[in-house]
Amino acid sequence: MDSDFGIPRELSPLQQLRSQYHPELPPCLQGTTVRVELGDGTTVAKAGDAHIIARAFPHTLGQPLAHFLRATAKVPDAQIITEHPAKRVGIVFSGRQAPGGHNVVWGLYEALKVHNAKNTLLGFLGGSEGLFAQKTLEITDDVLQTYKNQGGYDMLGRTKDQIRTTEQVNAALKACTDLKLDGLVIIGGVTSNTDAAHLAEFFAEAKCPTKVVGVPVTINGDLKNQFVEANVGFDTTCKVNSQLISNICTDALSAEKYYYFVRLMGRKHSHVALECTLQSHPNMVILGEEVTASKLTIFDIIKQICDAVQARAEQDKNHGVILIPEGLVESIPELYALLKEIHGLLKEGVQADNISTQLSPWSSALFEFLPPFIKKQLLLHPESDDSAQLSQIETEKLLAYLVETEMNKRLKEGTYKGKKFNAICHFFGYQARGSLPSNFDCDYAYVLGHVCYHILAAGLNGYMATVTNLKSPVNKWKCGAAPILVEFCRLIRLKFV
Amino acid sequence: MDSDFGIPRELSPLQQLRSQYHPELPPCLQGTTVRVELGDGTTVAKAGDAHIIARAFPHTLGQPLAHFLRATAKVPDAQIITEHPAKRVGIVFSGRQAPGGHNVVWGLYEALKVHNAKNTLLGFLGGSEGLFAQKTLEITDDVLQTYKNQGGYDMLGRTKDQIRTTEQVNAALKACTDLKLDGLVIIGGVTSNTDAAHLAEFFAEAKCPTKVVGVPVTINGDLKNQFVEANVGFDTTCKVNSQLISNICTDALSAEKYYYFVRLMGRKHSHVALECTLQSHPNMVILGEEVTASKLTIFDIIKQICDAVQARAEQDKNHGVILIPEGLVESIPELYALLKEIHGLLKEGVQADNISTQLSPWSSALFEFLPPFIKKQLLLHPESDDSAQLSQIETEKLLAYLVETEMNKRLKEGTYKGKKFNAICHFFGYQARGSLPSNFDCDYAYVLGHVCYHILAAGLNGYMATVTNLKSPVNKWKCGAAPILVEFCRLIRLKFV
C-alpha cells in the first residue's frame, strides 16, 4: 500500500476500472469561452454581526455573486473572458480527506491546460504544512494518471488542516509570493474554508496578487447554505456507510440476539447519521440536533433507548440497530459542559491526571459516574476547531454500557421480560472516507475544479466554487462562485488565534 | 428493517437488482436425469484414530464417495436415478450466518420441484431451536421470492448452532419422525457439520428413515479438505473486508499519522486474514498459525510490530495497516493457557470476579499485567465449541495498547526517533457477514442446494454436499458427496457432551 508522492503507482483492477470513468462537464463550462456575470454586492446574512464582519474584512466584504454562463448565453451584462495569460496556481488539501478530492485537482488541471498550455498547477505536499514549507509537486498528466476518480488524498497528502496563526498566514503569504502564484485553491470543509476567507482578506490587505479560492469538500456535509448544496465526499460516505449499516441490519435480523450501536463519523452535525438513516432504515437514530433542541440529558436518551428495547421485546424482537452521530457527545448539555470545563483546564495547563479534582461539583459528579474508558477519552486535548476529539470518544460504548446497566436493572425488577440485553459496538468512518468516490462525487469534484479556474480567470479573491441544481443531471448544473463571507459569518472566527 | 418469517418483504432497489441474478447449474445437474457413481468405501485419514472412529460410528463409517454425472456420461457403473417419489425435506440454518446461505435453500427447493411437484421443503424457524421445537415454514415460491441472492439468514433465522446433547438429538429425532422427513439438510460450518455426522449415526442406529446431509457454509473458510475446496460465504466476506481494508489503506496514506489495527472475524483460523492480506496488501499481518508454529509470545509479537514501526519511521513513514485474525488470542501460547485456566474455573462454577485469585502463579502474573478492558473480555464464558468468545475479545486494542506503551518507551530512550505513535482500532466482521453474496457464493450455494437433493434421491445418509473444480467456470464444476466422516475425524468429538 505504500506510495511516494508523484511516482505513478500500481492500481488494483478495481481502481483501474474506476479510473476509466470520465466525469461530464455542464454546457456552461464546455469549450474555452465562458461568460462571467457578476451580481450585486452581497451582504452577510445576520445584520447584527455585519459591523463586526465589516471591521474584520474591509477588503473582501460586499463582493458580488458570480455566475458562469456559456458564451452564447443571452445575458447582456455578462462579460466574456477572452484573455487567458499563463497562470501559476497552487492547490492544497487542507481538511480531512473526502472521496472525490483528487478530482478537484484533475478538473482544475484540465481547465488550466485547455485555456493556456503554459499554465502551471503546483500541488502542495503534506497539506498546509507543505504550503508553509513550500514543498510542491508539479501536477502533470503522469502524476494525475493514477489518481483520477480515486479516493483519499494520497496524491499530495495532508497533515494538518490549519492556516490560522500569524506565523502560518505569513508563511502562506511568503510561499505564494516566492512561488509567484496567481491563485491558491484550498480544498476542505468548514475550518479550511474559514481559513481561506481570512487568508483572502490578509492577502488583499498585503497587496499580494495571489487570489484565494475555497472548495467545499468534506464528508461531514456541514458546509451548506443557499449557495452550497452539497459537499464533495458526503454522497460516497453516506452510501458506503449505509451499505454497511444495511449489512448490520441483515445480521441483526439473522442472529436475532444483538443490539448494534453504530457511531458514524461526521463531526458536530448529524447530517451523515440522518442521511444514512434515510438510506438504510435502522430501528433508531439519536440526532444531536434533536437532543440539543429538546435539551435531553444522557439519562433521557438512555430511557428512550431502553423503552424502545422493552417495547420491541414485547413483540418478541430482541435485536435492533441504533445509529449515533459522533458529535452526539457535544449535543448532550451536561456532557458538553463537562467537556468545556475539561478543555478549559487543559488549556490552563492542568495535567489530565489532575483534572477530575478541579471540576465543578456538578461536572465532577457526572465525571465520576462515567465508566473508566470514557473518562480517559473525554480527557483528550480538543481538536484545532476547539471541538472534542469526536472520533476518539466511544459514545456508542457509553450508551451501550448505560443501556445494558438499565436493562439488567429492569430485568431484575421484572419490568422488562425480554432476553438478556446484548450490545455490539461499531464506529464507521475511516473505512468510508477512504472509499472510491461515487459517480456523483467524481462529477461534482471535477466540475468544481473547473469552476476554480474560472474564478481565478475572472480575478476573484475570497470566493468559494459553487455548483447548484445538483439534483438534476450534470447538463443542468449551474456554476458560479460565492464570496466565502456570504452566509458564512456563523463560521468565521474573528481573530487569528 | 423488521421482517417476519415467511411474509414477503420490501426490498431496496439494490436488493431487487441483486435478486434478478440467476445462478448457473453445471451440466451434470441440468435436466431431470442425473447418474450417481459410487466409489469404493472410504476410510478415515489417520490410521491411529480409525478404531476410535469405527467404534463411535459403526453405521456410517466406510461409506463410498459419490459423484453426480450427466445422464449421457460414459461411466458404466453409474446408476441413473429414475424414480423420484415425493419427498419431505427439512432444512435448518445451524451455524452463524454467511452470505449465500439463502441460495442453498433456493437450489434445494428448485431441485425438489423439478423432480416431483409434490416434494415438500420445510424450513425450521430460528435455527436448531426451531428444529427441536418443530417450528416450520413451508418454503414456496412466494417465500423465496425476496430472499434469492440475499445476504443473512433472516428468511428462517437462527439462534443456536448446536445439535449435540442427548436431549437435543432426541428432539431432532422426534421432529424428523413427527414431520415424516425423508431428509434433513444442515447448513453450517465445522461445528454444525460435526453435529450432522453424529446425528446421521444416531438416526441410522435408531432406524430413523431421515437422511442427514451437511452443507459447508461458513465465512471462516475453515471447513476444508480434499473434497471441500471452499465454504459458502468466504468469498463474499473476504471481498467486502478487503474493500474496507483497502479504504483504510487509502486513509492511512492520506492522513499519514495513524497505525490502523484491524481485527478480522474468522474464528480460530487465519484464513480470512490471509485472503484479505492477499487482496488488499496491508503493511503487516499476524497469522495465528505462524505464531503457533514459532511459539511466539505476546512480547515477541509486540517486538515484531514495534520494530516494523521503527523501521518505517526511518523511511519517514509514520502510518500503516496491520491485520489481526480474531483467533490470534488463542494462538499465543501463554494467552491460550490463561484462557484454558479461566474456562476451567468458569466450568467449575467459580464466579468471574473471583477467578484472578485462583489462577496459577504464571497465568495470574500475565492476567494482572493486562489492561482492565481485556481482563473483562477474557473472563467471558466460552462458546459452544469451547473456544473463547473471539468476537468479543479486542485483541487489536490489546496489541495497539502494548505497542503504544513500547513505542513511547523507545521514544523516551531515544531508540525511536519517529512521530508519536497513534493507533486506530477496528473490528471487521458483522458488517461483512450480512453482505449481499458475491456471484461466486450465489452460484456455489445454489449448486450445493441442488446437490443436496441428489444426495437424498440416492438415499445417502451422513454425507456432505461437495462441488469441486471451483476455480473453473460453473460449467466445469464437478458435483459429488463425501461422507462427513472422511477426512473430518479431526473435527469429530467422540461423545455428546
Side-chain angles (χ1 to χ4, degrees), chain A residues 351-384:
Chain A
Q351 290 294 308
D353 292 345
N354 301 328
I355 278 186
S356 68
T357 59
Q358 302 196 28
L359 293 168
S360 67
W362 172 243
S363 285
S364 176
L366 174 63
F367 190 74
E368 290 313 321
F369 161 80
L370 297 170
F373 73 89
I374 203 95
K375 279 185 190 167
K376 202 179 148 195
Q377 294 162 358
L378 294 177
L379 290 173
L380 292 169
H381 276 265
E383 299 265 10
S384 60

Side-chain angles (χ1 to χ4, degrees), chain B residues 19 64 186-187 218 239 289 366 465 476 496:
Chain B
S19 73
I186 295 175
I187 295 176
T218 164
K239 280 179 177 151
E289 288 77 357
L366 174 63
K476 305 270 187 206
F496 294 121

Side-chain angles (χ1 to χ4, degrees), chain A residues 34-217:
Chain A
V34 169
R35 293 171 88 106
V36 56
E37 180 202 23
L38 296 177
D40 294 331
T42 54
T43 51
V44 293
K46 287 188 192 165
D49 293 340
H51 69 283
I52 311 178
I53 300 276
R55 240 183 313 173
F57 295 89
H59 301 85
T60 50
L61 191 70
Q63 300 192 102
L65 290 172
H67 300 286
F68 300 109
L69 310 165
R70 45 184 138 179
T72 55
K74 287 176 187 142
V75 179
D77 293 343
Q79 175 203 353
I80 295 190
I81 308 279
T82 46
E83 298 211 359
H84 291 279
K87 283 191 186 306
R88 290 171 61 81
V89 178
I91 192 162
V92 60
F93 288 127
S94 171
R96 290 180 174 82
Q97 63 266 33
H102 286 137
N103 274 24
V104 177
V105 184
W106 181 19
L108 173 57
Y109 175 81
E110 291 247 314
L112 281 163
K113 291 298 176 187
V114 160
H115 288 89
N116 189 332
K118 288 188 184 149
N119 281 338
T120 303
L121 181 59
L122 297 178
F124 287 103
L125 294 176
S128 51
E129 301 240 311
L131 169 64
F132 308 146
Q134 305 190 21
K135 281 208 263 179
T136 62
L137 170 72
E138 185 172 344
I139 307 296
T140 62
D141 287 325
D142 271 358
V143 169
L144 270 172
Q145 199 51 45
T146 55
Y147 290 97
K148 292 175 179 174
N149 311 314
Q150 305 299 316
Y153 277 7
D154 44 327
M155 179 168 68
L156 301 172
R158 64 162 285 264
T159 49
K160 218 175 183 178
D161 52 351
Q162 236 197 26
I163 312 174
R164 187 176 310 172
T165 65
T166 310
E167 199 186 348
Q168 287 168 340
V169 293
N170 280 326
L173 178 71
K174 188 168 184 317
C176 291
T177 311
D178 288 357
L179 296 166
K180 299 189 174 53
L181 296 187
D182 300 287
L184 175 66
V185 175
I186 295 175
I187 294 175
V190 171
T191 305
S192 303
N193 279 287
T194 308
D195 286 347
H198 279 285
L199 203 63
E201 175 67 24
F202 184 77
F203 281 13
E205 191 178 344
K207 301 209 184 338
C208 164
T210 312
K211 310 299 182 195
V212 180
V213 177
V215 192
V217 182

Side-chain angles (χ1 to χ4, degrees), chain A residues 97 153 247 251 254 431 433, chain B residues 97 153 251 254 431 433:
Chain A
Q97 63 266 33
Y153 277 7
N247 291 354
D251 202 81
S254 303
Q431 59 272 67
R433 75 177 189 185
Chain B
Q97 62 265 35
Y153 277 6
D251 201 81
S254 303
Q431 59 272 66
R433 76 178 189 186

Side-chain angles (χ1 to χ4, degrees), chain A residues 24-30 33-39 64-70 73 75 78 111 216 226-229 443-455 458 460 463-470 472-483:
Chain A
E24 273 182 81
L25 270 187
C28 61
L29 299 187
Q30 286 171 13
T33 320
V34 169
R35 293 171 88 106
V36 56
E37 180 202 23
L38 296 177
L65 290 172
H67 300 286
F68 300 109
L69 310 165
R70 45 184 138 179
V75 179
Q226 61 182 114
F227 310 110
V228 180
E229 292 181 357
D443 292 342
Y444 183 34
Y446 179 79
V447 173
L448 284 170
H450 275 263
V451 172
C452 288
Y453 171 77
H454 294 288
I455 293 173
L460 303 174
Y463 277 72
M464 183 176 289
T466 62
V467 178
T468 50
N469 208 23
L470 289 170
S472 303
V474 177
N475 64 16
K476 305 271 187 203
W477 285 4
K478 293 177 177 166
C479 298

